[in-house]
Amino acid sequence: MTALALGPHLRHVSARTATIWVETDRPCEVRVVAADHGVDAGARTFTAHGHHYAVVEVDGLEPGARVPYEVVIDGETVWPEPGSDDPPSQIRTLDPEGTLRISFGSCRRSPGTPEEFGHDALAAFAHRLKDGGDGATWPDVLLMVGDQVYADELSDEMKEFIRGRRAADEPPVDEAADFEDYTHLYKLAWHDDPAVRWLLSTVPTFTIFDDHDIRDDWNTSYAWREQMWAQPWWRARITGGIGSYWIYQHLGNMSPEDRASDPVLAAVRAASEDGGDAGEVLDEFAERADKRPETMRWSYAHDWGGTRLVVVDSRCSRLLTSDRRGMLDDEEFRWLDEQCQGGMDHLLIASSLPYLLPRTIHHAESWNEAVAGGAWGRRAAALGEKVRQAADLEHWAAFERSFREVAQDVIAVGKGERGPAPASISFLSGDIHYSCLSRVTAPDTASEITQIICSPLRNPLNGTIRRANRIAAARGVSGAFRALAKLAKVPAPPLRWRMTEGPWFDNAIATVELTGRQCTVRWETPRTETALTELGRAAIAR
């Protein structure tokens, strides 16, 4: 009997369509069935590197629908699993006229013990929804903004899996090496915790990668890329990481229309016909996406009622050459510029890396970029590059020109220069392992402009780094670093902002709630394996 290896995952949804993603243990026909609601949709699996996947698209649904479903493989029901006491998994479509709730977070280490990483915010969130049933406040969307898996910081379970495949001293030591390693990383993260597996089957989920999905400091600079491609093991690592991301994460971010026109998916399906394997096709695509980022767009945007969500790839689409440096390549920035428009109630821009950091860190990173670029001479530049990689100075502030270009966009939207100004423009981010809210104080705009950070879901900072970040977030510290940046001829930022809530260093999940022109945010932390308690909340737009 064919079985599910991973999933089902409820991925892209709209008011009338839904996507179910699965991995199976052999080639098969996968069907999603809800007989009482007239749902019966199917898809054949495709194969890559000996693994089998299906993306089932369901249409003709009603807005705001709650449709319990089953997964049937070759005529046998495989989900829900026999004897399961979980609530039925549901297809949950969006209601454009209702309140929109987006829960989000980043940086989740799994598996692991509470002693190692604390309680898992995502698992506790799942337990609350399971135990509360229809009485719980459900999110309409779950957005995971980076480090869904850690390919370079492995659990004992992952190390044991690798020891079964290759020698312990074979590079990259204690890191994922190829596509097969990545498949097991995803299994450990999304399959082995029953609560999380159920959550992903019933809450629409969207994702974007960050560095640990591939490797720490991924694409931090041109020098870093040169160093990595000089390693003999790097090609298998980067193609395995990007190829698996395309299958396990990116396919579910796409709308049915985008998938229908996607040449990569067409090529993978064609290579899988008649028992074929698309592994080579996938590897070639992944290498091209890494070496020529302009050939692939990982970013995406969806309009839901009066809200536009723009999810920006701030990793793979970077412009990194010997003479140019940008957080986004030219084509990607043109796309982002097109998405930043008025006429919506709310504009949400999700980026794994925070756009607005505490100002002390912002100035330090912009100074470092200038020094590494030669502002203080060749010797200082070499030292600046070492500091950049050692201290992870790679956020938007470390791409000063890109920071200014995005600032011009959001100011224009916030002033109503691109249509009626939204009530709020919010950046949603993770990465830095603490949660906070920062508000833009200048220039004056009709929109409230904020940076909302929620991190980590499960991977807290140690005490020393916590203390350093508390100091960086304190008022009155940033002046010295701004003076340093000025000495390196870095112009003043086009925005001014200050942190108004946080920082909180607990594992956490945040929920942004949007009703009409109102916007609020709430952060929660797991106090036990199954219970959440509030860290803080704030009104963004009233």
Side-chain angles (χ1 to χ4, degrees), residues 104-296:
F104 80 99
S106 76
C107 309
R108 178 172 177 263
R109 291 292 299 272
S110 183
T113 66
E115 291 73 26
E116 292 174 295
F117 306 121
H119 296 302
D120 184 353
L122 195 64
F125 192 62
H127 280 287
R128 183 171 69 188
L129 296 180
K130 285 174 58 177
D131 299 341
D134 292 337
T137 302
W138 282 69
D140 297 284
V141 168
L142 173 64
L143 176 63
M144 295 196 285
V145 289
D147 295 345
Q148 280 68 259
V149 294
Y150 278 72
D152 53 350
E153 297 178 16
L154 304 184
S155 65
D156 291 340
E157 293 87 343
M158 189 64 203
K159 290 177 182 178
E160 183 178 354
F161 173 80
I162 287 175
R163 284 194 293 270
R165 300 190 63 224
R166 61 181 186 271
D169 59 351
E170 182 178 341
V173 177
D174 286 342
E175 296 187 31
D178 56 17
F179 185 92
E180 187 66 25
D181 284 353
Y182 269 97
T183 65
H184 201 68
L185 277 173
Y186 283 110
K187 180 178 182 295
L188 291 173
W190 292 344
H191 183 280
D192 287 5
D193 186 319
V196 171
R197 187 183 184 192
W198 172 84
L199 177 74
L200 297 178
S201 76
T202 201
V203 175
T205 303
F206 294 81
T207 68
I208 194 68
F209 43 28
D210 199 18
D211 57 343
H212 291 286
D213 289 87
I214 302 295
R215 196 173 199 258
D216 189 29
D217 297 340
W218 179 30
N219 283 348
T220 191
S221 64
Y222 175 74
W224 186 93
R225 287 184 58 82
E226 293 288 287
Q227 292 163 13
M228 287 298 101
W229 272 104
Q231 303 300 319
W233 49 267
W234 180 245
R235 182 184 185 276
R237 169 63 166 276
I238 191 65
T239 58
I242 290 179
S244 63
Y245 174 83
W246 181 83
I247 289 177
Y248 286 83
Q249 299 197 52
H250 182 69
L251 278 178
N253 295 328
M254 301 167 72
S255 69
E257 295 78 12
D258 289 337
R259 279 192 296 271
S261 62
D262 182 43
V264 181
L265 181 55
V268 165
R269 282 176 166 160
S272 300
E273 292 178 356
D274 301 322
D277 190 299
E280 184 175 344
V281 171
L282 192 64
D283 289 350
E284 290 173 356
F285 153 72
E287 183 171 0
R288 183 171 63 252
D290 176 70
K291 290 184 173 179
R292 297 175 54 202
E294 73 279 2
T295 64
M296 177 61 191

Side-chain angles (χ1 to χ4, degrees), residues 263-337:
V264 181
L265 181 55
V268 165
R269 282 176 166 160
S272 300
E273 292 178 356
D274 301 322
D277 190 299
E280 184 175 344
V281 171
L282 192 64
D283 289 350
E284 290 173 356
F285 153 72
E287 183 171 0
R288 183 171 63 252
D290 176 70
K291 290 184 173 179
R292 297 175 54 202
E294 73 279 2
T295 64
M296 177 61 191
R297 174 165 297 125
W298 304 102
S299 303
Y300 55 94
H302 300 304
D303 290 351
W304 298 322
T307 297
R308 171 169 292 177
L309 173 67
V310 183
V311 182
V312 181
D313 162 29
S314 53
R315 281 292 175 184
C316 199
S317 297
R318 292 182 178 182
L319 176 62
L320 297 169
T321 67
S322 58
D323 59 350
R324 291 191 66 195
R325 174 178 170 83
M327 180 66 84
L328 309 176
D329 63 46
D330 295 338
E331 180 60 31
E332 193 76 4
F333 185 79
R334 278 192 290 270
W335 176 87
L336 176 59
D337 180 71

Side-chain angles (χ1 to χ4, degrees), residues 37-61:
H37 295 266
V39 171
D40 187 353
R44 290 291 307 177
T45 56
F46 62 85
T47 301
H49 293 295
H51 293 261
H52 315 286
Y53 309 93
V55 180
V56 181
E57 296 172 353
V58 182
D59 61 15
L61 300 166

Side-chain angles (χ1 to χ4, degrees), residues 97-100 306-307 344-346 423 513-519:
E97 303 303 319
T99 294
L100 176 67
T307 297
M344 310 293 291
D345 290 324
H346 306 280
E513 185 170 303
L514 307 126
T515 305
R517 302 280 287 179
Q518 297 179 345
C519 175

Side-chain angles (χ1 to χ4, degrees), residues 328-386:
L328 309 176
D329 63 46
D330 295 338
E331 180 60 31
E332 193 76 4
F333 185 79
R334 278 192 290 270
W335 176 87
L336 176 59
D337 180 71
E338 292 172 357
Q339 307 308 312
C340 291
Q341 301 295 329
M344 310 293 291
D345 290 324
H346 306 280
L347 175 61
L348 306 178
I349 304 173
S351 164
S352 63
L353 299 175
Y355 178 69
L356 298 175
L357 292 165
R359 291 211 305 270
T360 297
I361 301 175
H362 178 96
H363 295 318
E365 294 203 10
S366 61
W367 163 79
N368 174 262
E369 182 194 29
V371 171
W376 287 0
R378 184 176 299 178
R379 288 187 177 180
L383 178 60
E385 179 62 36
K386 291 180 179 178

Side-chain angles (χ1 to χ4, degrees), residues 9-83:
H9 292 172
L10 177 59
R11 297 300 312 276
H12 178 279
V13 298
S14 66
R16 296 190 178 276
T17 67
T19 300
I20 304 291
W21 178 100
V22 300
E23 180 182 354
T24 64
D25 64 355
R26 66 193 70 183
C28 60
E29 172 83 12
V30 180
R31 305 204 69 80
V32 173
V33 178
D36 292 344
H37 295 266
V39 171
D40 187 353
R44 290 291 307 177
T45 56
F46 62 85
T47 301
H49 293 295
H51 293 261
H52 315 286
Y53 309 93
V55 180
V56 181
E57 296 172 353
V58 182
D59 61 15
L61 300 166
E62 293 298 319
R66 302 293 181 260
V67 180
Y69 70 91
E70 297 178 346
V71 177
V72 178
I73 295 180
D74 289 342
E76 298 286 340
T77 300
V78 297
W79 187 268
E81 294 181 319

